[in-house]
Amino acid sequence: MRALSLILRLYSYAFEFVLSLIALVLGIIGATHGHDVSMELLPWTGASLTHWLTGLGLLGIVCTVLAVMGWLRFTFPLWALFVVVMLFRGYMFSSYTFGNAAGFREALYFFGAAVLAFIGSLTVLGRRRSG
């Protein structure tokens, strides 16, 4: 059981870090190239979207790094839950549309990966830092 917990935690660290890094890079690209970023999944547009992507990307990276280091670990599951909620909201309650069945399937896989990362993030709460 400890091995599964470790694998889930490492997966959640990797998933959330990479997702946050992508958001940060997209925000920076949007800010430096005229706010041309468009993401129907998110509730923001234009300059607001680039600012939110940059800020949330930084927040996600900080939460992940803090959890890896054993500091303020409770922020990591909160961040992972935020990601799941935003994906659910974006897929279900936004103007986002799926191009075809394959697009829907990919969205389900991505959402499932985010849910799995959230489950893995919960393992940081039970882990005690050895000192």
Side-chain angles (χ1 to χ4, degrees), residues 9-45:
R9 185 175 357 174
L10 293 175
Y11 166 75
S12 67
Y13 288 155
F15 181 88
E16 299 298 343
F17 185 82
V18 169
L19 183 67
S20 299
L21 189 61
I22 290 169
L24 177 61
V25 168
L26 286 175
I28 290 170
I29 289 171
T32 58
H33 290 87
H35 310 294
D36 292 318
V37 178
S38 175
M39 298 183 80
E40 294 176 20
L41 281 176
L42 298 175
W44 309 286
T45 58

Side-chain angles (χ1 to χ4, degrees), residues 29 51 67 70 82 84-85 96 109:
I29 289 171
H51 293 119
F82 175 78
V84 169
V85 168
Y96 184 81
Y109 290 149

